[in-house]
Amino acid sequence: MKDLLRTNSSLHEGIEKLLNIQAKIESDASNKYLAMAAWLDRNGFANTADYLYKQAEEEREHFLKVFKYITEMGGIAVTPTVSEVQQEFRSMKEVFEIALQNEITVTNAVNKIVAKCRTENDYATEEFMMWYVKEQREEEKNARRALELFELIDENSGSGKFELDKEIAKIGAIE
Ligand code: FEO
């Protein structure tokens, strides 16, 4: 049965597995941003909360995009389980440090798929993944800019938190 299914799929089994892992990573990323947005929201950072609510939606789209691609190519898209995500943070800065770390992890996973595509001569998936390569370049740049703002604005000065909330949210607005 498995072999028969394979004849309907142009996806290499190893690539299909990596794409399903990617789907889970994107789905987890959406939930992580959602928890960050809620933390920011309940701590008075309304602007950055909106920014990360939007990021959570974008990650959900990234998840769906790869999930549907697996089916389109005749593979089996596995609905990811929901993982526990961090709900509490020490500071706004910690939120954005973790956000950058997460984006780097996503980039590494994307690169791993592209490398595998090259060894398996799967040019269709490689071309599909280029969208993610570009997206990750942008998302890492934004996450780094957010952290850079903590160097420019003192979080512990009088209006520091208020300024950071405003300035970081602008990164999302100019996307
Ligand atoms: Fe879709 Fe930012 O990872």
Side-chain angles (χ1 to χ4, degrees), residues 26 59 62 103 106 136 139:
E26 302 287 353
E59 297 298 353
H62 300 175
E103 291 299 347
V106 175
Q136 280 312 118
E139 296 207 332

Side-chain angles (χ1 to χ4, degrees), residues 5-171:
L5 280 174
R6 280 286 135 217
T7 63
N8 294 328
S9 175
S10 47
L11 270 184
H12 176 275
E13 215 169 334
I15 292 178
E16 181 181 335
K17 196 174 163 200
L18 287 180
L19 290 172
N20 271 307
I21 290 171
Q22 192 66 33
K24 172 146 176 66
I25 289 172
E26 302 287 353
S27 173
D28 285 348
S30 176
N31 289 336
K32 285 174 186 174
Y33 275 128
L34 191 63
M36 289 172 179
W39 184 88
L40 291 166
D41 217 356
R42 68 177 172 270
N43 283 282
F45 306 116
N47 298 301
T48 41
D50 277 350
Y51 175 31
L52 293 196
Y53 280 129
K54 193 172 134 244
Q55 283 299 114
E57 280 179 27
E58 279 190 16
E59 297 298 353
R60 169 82 185 167
E61 285 169 19
H62 300 175
F63 153 68
L64 273 176
K65 194 177 171 79
V66 68
F67 191 76
K68 288 178 178 175
Y69 176 79
I70 298 167
T71 307
E72 181 193 321
M73 298 301 282
I76 297 171
V78 181
T79 304
T81 52
V82 179
S83 302
E84 287 282 328
V85 294
Q86 186 174 342
Q87 307 283 344
E88 295 296 333
F89 303 89
R90 283 192 303 268
S91 63
M92 183 166 30
K93 189 177 182 188
E94 192 196 28
V95 167
F96 287 94
E97 282 169 348
I98 294 172
L100 173 60
Q101 196 49 54
N102 286 340
E103 291 299 347
I104 292 169
T105 302
V106 175
T107 302
N108 289 341
V110 166
N111 290 343
K112 196 172 164 185
I113 299 175
V114 174
K116 181 76 174 162
C117 287
R118 290 184 179 178
T119 61
E120 302 301 339
N121 295 333
D122 183 349
Y123 305 117
T125 304
E126 182 177 332
E127 193 266 341
F128 169 78
M129 290 307 297
M130 283 305 135
W131 184 88
Y132 288 85
V133 170
K134 207 171 146 202
E135 184 69 17
Q136 280 312 118
R137 198 180 70 207
E138 189 65 27
E139 296 207 332
E140 272 196 38
K141 185 189 84 183
N142 289 346
R144 288 202 170 85
R145 176 61 186 155
L147 281 182
E148 204 173 56
L149 286 168
F150 285 90
E151 303 296 320
L152 302 172
I153 303 168
D154 181 3
E155 195 180 357
N156 299 313
S157 72
S159 60
K161 288 185 174 68
F162 179 76
E163 290 299 324
L164 279 162
D165 182 48
K166 242 179 16 186
E167 293 302 319
I168 293 171
K170 282 183 193 167
I171 301 169

